[in-house]
Amino acid sequence: MTLSYKHILVAVDGSKEAAWAFKKSIGVAQRNDATLNLVNVIDTRSFAAIEAYDRSIADRAQAFAEELLGNYKKEAEAAGVTKVNVIVDYGSPKTMIAREVAKKVEADLIICGATGLSTVERFLIGSVSGHIVRAAKCDVLVVRTEEHI
């Protein structure tokens, strides 16, 4: 068993919680000389019905994801992380991050932000971070913002 990480997967979606997770991932990647894999999974369920009428929604989601990940990549490289990959994927973030993307990048650590959902919302739809913790085959670090500490 090793105590270092070589392939870190960071789930980002533009939220404050994800931004905190990204910031923490920079330090972890530096300390471990690890590859930082930044992923944004576009939740196709959220716009599937509307997309039949307006294809530009998917295009805008793709553009947002690419810009978000590009900015994070620049920030990580400016901080000294030399190996940074960006991944934009489509599907359910809950399953894609923990299973598909983690396997693809051979992740040994997944870092994600804690949810901002209320108890009722978590009961009805479940949190992405909670699902990742339960489904991932590797270590998971759930980062909380200052408000949740």
Side-chain angles (χ1 to χ4, degrees), residues 9-39:
L9 178 60
V10 185
V12 295
D13 60 4
S15 68
K16 184 169 44 173
E17 291 81 12
W20 276 79
F22 167 72
K23 298 268 189 220
K24 179 129 338 183
S25 74
I26 290 174
V28 177
Q30 289 171 326
R31 287 189 300 276
N32 289 277
D33 189 32
T35 300
L36 195 57
N37 297 286
L38 307 171
V39 64

Side-chain angles (χ1 to χ4, degrees), residues 61-78:
Q62 177 80 29
F64 171 80
E66 289 172 358
E67 181 180 1
L68 177 72
L69 294 174
N71 290 337
Y72 278 147
K73 181 177 181 175
K74 287 178 194 167
E75 189 176 336
E77 290 172 340

Side-chain angles (χ1 to χ4, degrees), residues 57-134:
I57 292 174
D59 296 337
R60 286 193 302 257
Q62 177 80 29
F64 171 80
E66 289 172 358
E67 181 180 1
L68 177 72
L69 294 174
N71 290 337
Y72 278 147
K73 181 177 181 175
K74 287 178 194 167
E75 189 176 336
E77 290 172 340
V81 179
T82 57
K83 298 171 275 187
V84 183
N85 300 317
V86 296
I87 302 159
V88 177
D89 217 331
Y90 289 85
S92 168
K94 289 179 179 185
T95 56
M96 292 296 295
I97 293 166
R99 295 191 183 118
E100 307 289 326
V101 181
K103 185 177 181 180
K104 188 186 319 181
V105 301
E106 299 176 356
D108 47 17
L109 175 65
I110 299 173
I111 301 177
C112 60
T115 181
L117 298 177
S118 70
T119 305
V120 174
E121 289 169 322
R122 276 194 304 276
F123 176 74
L124 293 174
I125 62 174
S127 76
V128 172
S129 58
H131 189 274
I132 291 171
V133 168
R134 290 187 302 277

